[in-house]
Amino acid sequence: MIIPFKRWLTHILVCVTFLLAPIQSIFTHGTVTNPPSRVWICFQEDPQSPDSPACEASIIGWGTQAFYDWNEVARMDAGGRHREIIADGNLASAGRPDKYGGLDQVRNDWVTTQVTPGPYTVTWTNTAPHQTLYYDVYITKADWTPDQPLTWDSLELLTRTGPRPASATDNIDVVLPQRTGKHVIYSIWQRSLTPEAFYSTSDVDFGTTSLPNQPPVAKFITDNGRCGGPDVTFDASDSSDPNGDTLTYTWDFGDGTTAQGVNVSHTYASLDSATVTLTVSDGEFSSGSVETISLVVDPNCEEIPCPFDTPLQTALPSINASFSNVYVLGGGGPDLSTVTDFTINWDAINNGLYQLSINTNNGIPNWWNNLLESATYTFNAANPEITLTGTGFAGLDGTYAVTIDNGNFVMVSQTEGFTIYFSTSSTAPDCEGVTTPPTNSAPVASFIASALTGTDPFEVSFDASGSTDADGDPLTFNIDYGDGTFGREPISTHTYSAGEYTATLTISDGKGGAATASVSLVVDGDIVVNPPSGDCAFETPLSAPLETIFTSFNNVHVLGTGGPNMESVTKFTVNWDLANNGLYQFSFDLNVAPWYINFSENVQSFNEANPGISITGSGITGLDGDYFAAIDNGNFVLVADGYSIYFSNTETAPICDPKVSTAKDDQISFKMFPNPAVEKISILNQTDLKDNLITISDLTGKKIKSQLVKESTNTVTIDVSGIETGLYLVRILDPSGSSRTLNLLVN
């Protein structure tokens, strides 16, 4: 059989292109399959032997790979900037004519799908579903013809959807307008978590004659506020026309007045109800919708005094801020007087709520409260809302409409008559109708100890059940036993070792009222705050995690030699909660700038055996490095190689042997850099390392890597690129049996 020359040439070029094409990308996503896009049709025809002339020409000119990659006609850098990054004439190729230029061809023989004016469903088929910020669906204008390039000005928008969850198939309902002949439906899928966007070009044919005109469909909704009443808004945007014709809207409010427009408002006088009629017209046909609405105010409903602009008609804009002031506007709201800081980090582009937290000044329910664990929200849609459950704050749980007012964050209760206003200003916002909550009486604290002096070990029973509140509010109890431990029960028992202590009770009524009471205790009759503790390593590394401690210390003692200069430190505060695995504060107050530094974000392993921390970027000479951590009689200790840092509330240093290093006295500990390390470390020693064994172990003692130095050298380099991120021990063992150890942080 003789194959025509053109068909033969096509087959040859297709085969060569296929052999040279790279492997299809696995990072694929989607395209429109109804009406089928150009790239989808060419893929379905088989890029090796296309059926239609348009697909055949595309494969001859641009190769087969573009059509095997039918689901990645995309731009990674879009972020909504479609018109900026894609030039006219390159819309079909997503501005990538080097690969997808065949789709930009201006020709009249692209395969089309027969359509008619009226309701139609555009379907995206997504092989790798992602969360959606929006879909845009366009159609070419009535005067466009297939012999013209596809340009932005040649398109008119049919619809833009709201955000959607990830889905393998997404259907977008549109109304196709009156058209005749061939046209293009152009669709954009903008992802919400990245700037990446996908583009699809589908050819349709409306035929040569217009369909008979059909009447429009009239629909409307009303809103007369939270509690009802005579002030009503009307919305007819759900009305539609089967032929896609432009509509006019006429309202009869049922009280002798009328209005024009899609969205209107009206105030009634002396009516309990009204019968409203909407008439929509396409210029030839008209249709109506009638509804009787109530205008009665609900007597049991409480209006929100400060709704601001809620509900928003759009998604919540991005906000990343902290607020030190909170105002509860209206009555019946929660008492948030103990809140010291509220932080929100909402990214509308990436649809991410990354932080929603509250700090308190009394630790009730916690010093730091993560509200993300209690929240469900719809910030990325019109009428953005949040629902809080199980927050631990009395009266805070509920559903709120949210908005931003001059940079401040606002939560408007949808079930009660109050608004919560988080602000950076010390002045409450001025809004009408705000009622002042009733005055709250502070509680009275009662704190009784079974004994005030005793012998080590000294067991004391504490009773705070006699505490009262004049308003009858339920009380919460927080006891600081004075030795770095805490309790939450009104009746408790605690055991003390030798020393002098002050136990303090703090009670709160949940409405801003608080009170304290204290008792002083002496154990053994002698004040021995820092008894001898053996060597200054204080039993580190510990075999168990670091116990909970929340204390501030006004004295710091550097034990041993080679330690940092801590003269500028006036206070050290540690807030470590083992139960919640939270290091909420690890900070120094200084008598010089920067005055305060916080290392709570530094790498630490307090919740594991061999607890320790790596301090970096402190600005204090000699402080940066790796430390084991321990608690010694309520005091906090950091143990390094050669010295310990002892934080205490007494001016007397502990009595202990300062030799905290295992290195021989006549040897200087080796230097190791970089630390933290990523790929390799270099070890520098003042003496010859020949016949020394260098090992890297994890904090459990498991050996990760070892190397015997066989040549005379003072420097050794070890590859750590294959070691997982974490804290390790690097140990040098010399032939005499002496060893030296440093901590290594691998990133």
Side-chain angles (χ1 to χ4, degrees):
M1 180 177 69
I2 300 176
I3 301 175
F5 177 75
K6 180 179 179 182
R7 175 65 67 182
W8 173 82
L9 178 61
T10 300
H11 280 287
I12 294 297
L13 289 173
V14 166
C15 291
V16 171
T17 302
F18 175 72
L19 291 173
L20 296 178
I23 298 175
Q24 179 185 357
S25 169
I26 62 172
F27 300 103
T28 52
H29 303 275
T31 192
V32 170
T33 54
N34 184 60
S37 64
R38 291 177 180 178
V39 71
W40 175 249
I41 288 173
C42 294
F43 172 71
Q44 293 296 312
E45 288 184 2
D46 184 1
Q48 302 305 313
S49 57
D51 299 323
S52 63
C55 290
E56 182 178 299
S58 297
I59 291 170
I60 291 175
W62 283 268
T64 60
Q65 191 63 45
F67 301 98
Y68 286 115
D69 296 343
W70 57 269
N71 39 14
E72 60 169 4
V73 184
R75 290 292 294 265
M76 297 292 293
D77 58 344
R81 301 179 301 115
H82 316 295
R83 293 175 182 259
E84 298 176 33
I85 64 176
I86 300 177
D88 287 341
N90 292 143
L91 273 64
S93 66
R96 298 169 60 190
D98 54 331
K99 180 174 182 178
Y100 292 103
L103 304 178
D104 288 324
Q105 293 182 95
V106 178
R107 50 192 306 144
N108 194 37
D109 54 0
W110 286 104
V111 176
T112 60
T113 300
Q114 293 297 126
V115 296
T116 58
Y120 190 82
T121 299
V122 174
T123 301
W124 274 85
T125 297
N126 307 321
T127 55
H130 302 291
Q131 292 184 27
T132 297
L133 187 61
Y134 59 79
Y135 287 103
D136 280 344
V137 180
Y138 295 87
I139 192 168
T140 45
K141 295 176 180 177
D143 59 354
W144 183 86
T145 56
D147 60 355
Q148 301 175 20
L150 197 60
T151 66
W152 291 108
D153 286 342
S154 68
L155 302 176
E156 65 178 54
L157 182 66
L158 295 179
T159 189
R160 167 172 283 193
T161 73
R164 299 187 177 194
S167 176
T169 302
D170 252 329
N171 294 318
I172 301 101
D173 294 326
V174 299
V175 177
L176 299 180
Q178 283 285 356
R179 294 286 190 272
T180 58
K182 295 180 178 180
H183 281 271
V184 165
I185 293 179
Y186 187 69
S187 305
I188 301 174
W189 172 24
Q190 177 62 63
R191 291 180 57 187
S192 62
L193 298 179
T194 74
E196 186 177 25
F198 297 82
Y199 304 85
S200 183
T201 305
S202 303
D203 296 275
V204 295
D205 192 342
F206 286 86
T208 57
T209 58
S210 301
L211 292 178
N213 192 27
Q214 300 179 56
V217 178
K219 294 181 180 180
F220 72 92
I221 57 175
T222 65
D223 182 7
N224 57 342
R226 173 185 174 86
C227 300
D231 299 319
V232 189
T233 60
F234 300 87
D235 184 354
S237 58
D238 286 339
S239 301
S240 61
D241 186 84
N243 302 97
D245 296 331
T246 301
L247 299 176
T248 59
Y249 304 81
T250 302
W251 299 87
D252 182 342
F253 295 124
D255 62 352
T257 60
T258 61
Q260 302 283 331
V262 178
N263 298 287
V264 297
S265 59
H266 185 63
T267 299
Y268 290 88
S270 303
L271 290 178
D272 291 336
S273 65
T275 299
V276 180
T277 302
L278 166 68
T279 302
V280 295
S281 174
D282 64 2
E284 179 180 358
F285 293 111
S286 296
S287 297
S289 179
V290 181
E291 181 181 339
T292 298
I293 61 173
S294 173
L295 304 173
V296 177
V297 176
D298 181 355
N300 297 319
C301 178
E302 186 175 4
E303 285 283 6
I304 299 174
C306 297
F308 292 88
D309 56 352
T310 62
L312 295 180
Q313 300 304 306
T314 61
L316 183 71
S318 296
I319 180 172
N320 184 6
S322 292
F323 304 98
S324 55
N325 297 283
V326 55
Y327 305 99
V328 180
L329 312 173
D335 173 34
L336 300 177
S337 60
T338 61
V339 173
T340 59
D341 183 80
F342 170 80
T343 300
I344 179 172
N345 183 359
W346 158 247
D347 188 334
I349 294 178
N350 293 316
N351 188 24
L353 182 59
Y354 301 118
Q355 186 172 358
L356 191 76
S357 63
I358 285 179
N359 293 69
T360 67
N361 60 15
N362 64 351
I364 301 174
N366 294 292
W367 299 99
W368 183 80
N369 303 269
N370 182 12
L371 299 187
L372 273 180
E373 299 175 350
S374 310
T376 57
Y377 57 93
T378 55
F379 287 177
N380 60 345
N383 188 23
E385 289 186 340
I386 188 169
T387 299
L388 300 174
T389 56
T391 61
F393 290 89
L396 181 60
D397 290 2
T399 299
Y400 300 84
V402 296
T403 187
I404 298 173
D405 178 61
N406 295 317
N408 302 303
F409 184 69
V410 187
M411 294 169 43
V412 181
S413 173
Q414 299 300 284
T415 56
E416 306 294 337
F418 67 88
T419 294
I420 305 176
Y421 194 95
F422 298 99
S423 175
T424 56
S425 172
S426 58
T427 303
D430 183 16
C431 53
E432 297 180 358
V434 175
T435 59
T436 303
T439 302
N440 180 56
S441 300
V444 177
S446 172
F447 194 38
I448 300 173
S450 59
L452 300 179
T453 61
T455 303
D456 181 7
F458 180 40
E459 185 175 271
V460 184
S461 295
F462 294 98
D463 186 353
S465 61
S467 302
T468 59
D469 185 82
D471 303 314
D473 297 323
L475 297 176
T476 56
F477 299 81
N478 185 24
I479 302 175
D480 180 349
Y481 291 114
D483 61 354
T485 60
F486 298 85
R488 293 288 179 87
E489 299 299 327
I491 298 177
S492 62
T493 300
H494 191 69
T495 301
Y496 291 92
S497 57
E500 188 174 86
Y501 307 91
T502 298
T504 302
L505 164 72
T506 300
I507 60 173
S508 173
D509 62 6
K511 295 182 178 179
T516 62
S518 300
V519 294
S520 297
L521 308 166
V522 178
V523 183
D524 266 345
D526 296 321
I527 302 176
V528 186
V529 179
N530 292 296
S533 303
D535 67 55
C536 293
F538 298 96
E539 301 182 354
T540 59
L542 304 179
S543 60
L546 188 70
E547 64 185 80
T548 295
I549 179 171
F550 180 23
T551 312
S552 292
F553 303 99
N554 297 319
N555 295 278
V556 54
H557 307 285
V558 180
L559 313 174
T561 58
N565 182 350
M566 305 293 285
E567 293 180 354
S568 62
V569 176
T570 59
K571 184 172 73 171
F572 167 72
T573 301
V574 58
N575 182 358
W576 160 246
D577 187 339
L578 176 60
N580 293 312
N581 188 22
L583 182 59
Y584 302 122
Q585 191 170 358
F586 194 90
S587 65
F588 293 99
D589 287 32
L590 309 174
N591 57 18
V592 295
W595 311 110
Y596 174 84
I597 47 179
N598 185 13
F599 303 104
S600 58
E601 298 298 328
N602 281 28
V603 176
Q604 50 85 13
S605 57
F606 286 175
N607 64 336
E608 304 171 4
N610 308 317
I613 188 169
S614 179
I615 298 178
T616 59
S618 67
I620 298 177
T621 302
L623 179 61
D624 288 6
D626 301 315
Y627 297 86
F628 288 119
I631 298 173
D632 178 61
N633 295 306
N635 303 301
F636 190 79
V637 191
L638 294 175
V639 180
D641 188 21
Y643 64 90
S644 292
I645 306 176
Y646 194 94
F647 300 97
S648 172
N649 277 319
T650 178
E651 296 181 358
T652 304
I655 302 171
C656 60
D657 183 352
K659 296 180 180 180
V660 299
S661 172
T662 59
K664 293 175 64 176
D665 291 341
D666 59 349
Q667 290 182 321
I668 300 175
S669 181
F670 63 92
K671 295 182 179 180
M672 177 176 61
F673 56 90
N675 191 10
V678 176
E679 296 181 351
K680 61 184 179 179
I681 58 172
S682 294
I683 294 174
L684 178 63
N685 200 52
Q686 287 198 354
T687 59
D688 192 354
L689 288 170
K690 183 180 179 182
D691 297 326
N692 280 242
L693 179 64
I694 302 174
T695 60
I696 301 177
S697 306
D698 63 19
L699 296 182
T700 67
K702 179 182 177 182
K703 186 181 297 183
I704 306 300
K705 177 174 288 194
S706 65
Q707 180 174 328
L708 179 64
V709 183
K710 298 180 180 181
E711 305 292 338
S712 293
T713 181
N714 293 90
T715 305
V716 174
T717 299
I718 301 177
D719 181 13
V720 297
S721 60
I723 298 179
E724 295 182 358
T725 299
L727 190 63
Y728 296 88
L729 303 177
V730 178
R731 178 171 176 257
I732 295 181
L733 178 65
D734 65 26
S736 70
S738 298
S739 66
R740 293 151 290 159
T741 304
L742 285 181
N743 290 350
L744 168 66
L745 178 62
V746 177
N747 285 338

